[in-house]
Amino acid sequence: MKLAFLFPGQGSQRVGMGKEFADNFPIARDTFMEADDALGFPLSRLCFEGPEDELRLTANTQPAIVTASIAALRVYRKEIGEEPEIAAGHSLGEYSALVAAGAIEFPDAVRAVRERGRLMQEAVPAGQGAMAALIGLELQQVREICEEVTKDGQLAVPANLNAPGQIVIAGHAAPVRAALEIAKERGASMSVELKVSAPFHCPLMQPARDGMEPILRSLKVVEFKFGVIANVTAEINHDRARVVPLLLEQITSPVRWEESMGVVARSGVTDAIEFGCGRVLMGLMRRMYRTIRVRPLEDLASLKALSEPGRAAKPEPSPCVRSFQSLCSPDNLIPTLGPLPLVCAAVG
């Protein structure tokens, strides 16, 4: 068996995330305490008790997801322990993957993504940006639509390339909304504007990229234990000198998840584990490479299933499906709508 580790991004959060592990495993409880100490406020209480509106604030969501993912990872390493060939994380999840690979320290990652969330939220004034899911179109069709609506200093671009026919665009509100209407005319099975706090992974995030540069430049980056697929290149990186430039570029560039999972498949991986909260990445993989078995690790039941050889997890929608309009696709939501499942994934 060749194994990959997968880490979700923004959109997979829910109140109660990580609580079962923290209640039952000291190593998970210590992980949440470590995050609390690093940030100087009780992130753990926000994860376990909410309120949901606060948890969904981007500056809180991002460290919460990284913390839940690393808590699950540490439980896995204590209880099971098999290490992967490679790792990948959807958008924000790339930070979790780098922590898993030993390239950056967990407290540093939590502090960095807290600022990343704040800066991304502040990069575009409320109401000026938008994101939308265009379902059932090929990437070239989406690119042509975006080029058509980009004019007079207003832009729309592909932002999350999640799976075949499942693409999220981002940019200024007016061209994004115009793209929705054109997509419907050109055969999209669904086109929906997303209720997100900012237009992630597009050039409008340049202020966030600028703000993150000194923060990321101060990160201590060490040698990798295994390679991590970078979102912006869809290539395996082992070079610690490239970590900061890739994380900076990621803020303004599309998440190339479909291509990244192609790298996983070509690497001969047969199994993967999705750490943290939700089963978004499992659902995406099922759309692309059904020969790769992805199992979640988010609670005691999934840990038990993972510990029993040959037992596969039942695909079920992430909690984010219950609020479809809140986030669609990252990193990260799989209701079936007709022949194509609409994947509402993590977007930031």
Side-chain angles (χ1 to χ4, degrees), residues 32 48 63 139 233 336:
F32 280 94
F48 301 158
L139 177 58
T233 62
T336 299

Side-chain angles (χ1 to χ4, degrees), residues 250-266:
Q250 186 213 70
I251 295 170
T252 53
S253 301
V255 174
R256 295 166 63 181
W257 192 253
E258 179 184 347
E259 293 171 83
S260 297
M261 293 304 96
V263 172
V264 171
R266 290 190 297 274

Side-chain angles (χ1 to χ4, degrees), residues 59-310:
N60 294 332
T61 301
Q62 296 202 10
I65 289 170
V66 170
T67 301
S69 292
I70 298 306
L73 171 71
R74 289 175 173 178
V75 169
Y76 167 86
R77 282 179 163 159
K78 182 177 185 301
E79 298 297 312
I80 300 174
E82 184 174 355
E83 289 296 314
E85 301 285 329
I86 51 177
H90 191 292
S91 186
L92 167 70
E94 190 169 335
Y95 287 80
S96 303
L98 289 164
V99 173
I104 59 177
E105 293 292 331
F106 170 62
D108 292 341
V110 169
R111 284 189 287 263
V113 300
R114 168 79 166 171
E115 287 303 296
R116 180 181 183 269
R118 181 184 66 81
L119 289 164
M120 291 172 82
Q121 177 71 57
E122 295 174 355
V124 179
Q128 292 189 17
M131 298 186 79
L134 306 185
I135 308 302
L137 298 180
E138 296 301 318
L139 177 58
Q140 185 56 37
Q141 292 176 286
V142 173
R143 284 177 172 153
E144 289 171 359
I145 292 170
C146 287
E147 289 171 5
E148 190 171 329
V149 300
T150 295
K151 53 191 172 184
D152 302 326
Q154 300 272 298
L155 63 83
V157 297
N160 287 309
L161 317 180
N162 287 325
Q166 299 180 2
I167 298 168
V168 174
I169 65 171
H172 291 100
V176 167
R177 289 167 185 156
L180 283 172
E181 297 308 310
I182 295 172
K184 291 174 186 175
E185 295 169 3
R186 296 187 184 172
S189 57
M190 177 165 287
S191 56
V192 182
E193 184 173 349
L194 312 177
K195 287 187 178 178
V196 294
S197 56
F200 303 129
H201 296 294
C202 79
L204 300 186
M205 288 289 106
Q206 186 62 45
R209 178 173 173 166
D210 294 341
M212 281 299 292
E213 183 151 6
I215 294 166
L216 291 178
R217 296 287 179 199
S218 69
L219 276 183
K220 180 182 178 182
V221 184
V222 299
E223 295 299 327
F224 290 66
K225 296 175 183 174
F226 44 80
V228 173
I229 301 173
N231 281 199
V232 297
T233 62
E235 296 174 349
I236 301 171
N237 181 41
H238 294 91
D239 183 358
R240 64 181 183 176
R242 297 188 67 207
V243 167
V244 168
L246 288 169
L247 289 177
L248 285 170
E249 189 177 352
Q250 186 213 70
I251 295 170
T252 53
S253 301
V255 174
R256 295 166 63 181
W257 192 253
E258 179 184 347
E259 293 171 83
S260 297
M261 293 304 96
V263 172
V264 171
R266 290 190 297 274
S267 298
V269 166
T270 58
D271 288 78
I273 301 170
E274 179 176 358
F275 291 95
C277 185
R279 305 184 177 195
V280 173
L281 305 182
M282 184 176 83
L284 286 172
M285 187 70 85
R286 287 173 63 86
R287 288 288 303 159
M288 293 182 281
Y289 300 101
R290 298 184 73 86
T291 56
I292 299 175
R293 178 177 62 168
V294 182
R295 290 178 288 176
L297 185 58
E298 56 182 339
D299 53 23
L300 295 179
S302 56
L303 176 63
K304 181 180 179 183
L306 194 62
S307 302
E308 297 175 6

